[in-house]
Amino acid sequence: MLKAAIVPVTPFAQNCSVLWCDETMQGAVVDPGGDLDQVLGVVEKQGVTLEKILVTHGHLDHAVADLRDRLKLPIEGPHEADRFWIEKLPAHGQQFGFPPLREFTPDRWLRNGDTATVGNLTFEVFHCPGHTPGHIVFFHRPAMLAVVGDVLFKGSIGRTDFPRGDHEALIASIRERLFPLGDDVRFIPGHGPMSTFGWERKTNPYVSDLAVGVR
Ligand SMILES: [Zn+2]
Ligand SMILES: [Zn+2]
């Protein structure tokens, strides 16, 4: 069975998730930011052995190089279209007054239709461009749980004013790739509280049926 814990980290109040398989107790950290001691404290408390780092998109608030170096973990994701973001991480970090951020090279770029495993769990990968061109979403169908990064939030959607952001692509990603997975799907967003696709389809001012003119 899938287990999940959310650890809010960094000045951007970013959600770092720890996902693990309760049969093997193997786990993954999704989108690790700073505050690694806090994240690893949760990992240790739950008795999880980390096997990899999963990354939804190449943003500066998702620095992963430190965790990789500390635990020698492979990195999977995002989609290669975010390579330009990852390569600019050091410069962007400086711009925002962060301690020096470091770029990283994923061991495996992910594409729409790929799967990523954690212990005995299989996550389906959905490419959801818009916030960044290489943004991906991890979906565990048996638990109907999605980790959506900065694609969709409770009551909002990801910013598209960054380089190569695309508002229409983002709406299409949410409406055509995520909502068809089902109203009952719960999701962990990159920031803020959890919600369900059904609730957002009904109430989200940016992507609800009403907002896009679907009856
Ligand atoms: Zn982002
Ligand atoms: Zn973010």
Side-chain angles (χ1 to χ4, degrees):
M1 227 169 71
L2 166 63
K3 300 279 187 185
I6 303 173
V7 190
V9 295
T10 81
F12 287 124
Q14 180 225 323
N15 290 331
C16 167
S17 336
V18 180
L19 306 175
W20 70 96
C21 162
D22 69 353
E23 287 167 19
T24 64
M25 293 310 283
Q26 287 171 298
V29 176
V30 189
D31 293 342
D35 307 335
L36 282 185
D37 289 332
Q38 210 183 323
V39 175
L40 293 176
V42 170
V43 168
E44 194 181 338
K45 187 171 157 224
Q46 299 292 344
V48 171
T49 303
L50 289 179
E51 84 180 298
K52 62 182 68 170
I53 301 167
L54 298 174
V55 180
T56 61
H57 67 297
H59 259 168
L60 62 98
D61 52 348
H62 310 125
V64 297
D66 289 345
L67 182 60
R68 175 202 56 196
D69 289 352
R70 215 151 130 177
L71 298 180
K72 310 287 175 228
L73 298 172
I75 300 165
E76 296 187 17
H79 186 285
E80 198 167 2
D82 269 11
R83 187 190 275 276
F84 78 105
W85 263 118
I86 291 167
E87 287 174 351
K88 280 191 202 147
L89 278 178
H92 277 117
Q94 234 169 13
Q95 205 178 311
F96 284 86
F98 271 78
L101 287 174
R102 301 155 56 206
E103 65 176 82
F104 60 93
T105 306
D107 296 273
R108 185 182 169 216
W109 298 103
L110 293 172
R111 283 184 296 195
N112 195 58
D114 279 348
T115 56
T117 59
V118 177
N120 295 336
L121 309 169
T122 300
F123 290 84
E124 298 170 46
V125 173
F126 291 86
H127 184 206
C128 294
H131 175 67
T132 64
H135 203 305
I136 56 170
V137 163
F138 296 100
F139 177 51
H140 187 250
R141 198 174 290 268
M144 295 292 269
L145 181 81
V147 183
V148 305
D150 289 351
V151 172
L152 179 65
F153 306 110
K154 184 181 171 76
S156 188
I157 58 173
R159 289 170 60 174
T160 52
D161 56 335
F162 293 120
R164 299 191 214 173
D166 184 333
H167 182 78
E168 273 163 40
L170 182 63
I171 302 294
S173 290
I174 296 167
R175 298 277 318 177
E176 291 160 29
R177 290 237 154 109
L178 298 186
F179 284 178
L181 299 176
D183 283 348
D184 294 339
V185 174
R186 292 172 307 140
F187 67 90
I188 300 173
H191 306 264
M194 292 181 69
S195 180
T196 65
F197 290 164
W199 180 253
E200 300 311 310
R201 202 165 61 75
K202 235 196 291 190
T203 65
N204 190 302
Y206 302 92
V207 283
S208 68
D209 290 346
L210 191 67
V212 300
V214 175
R215 287 170 161 265

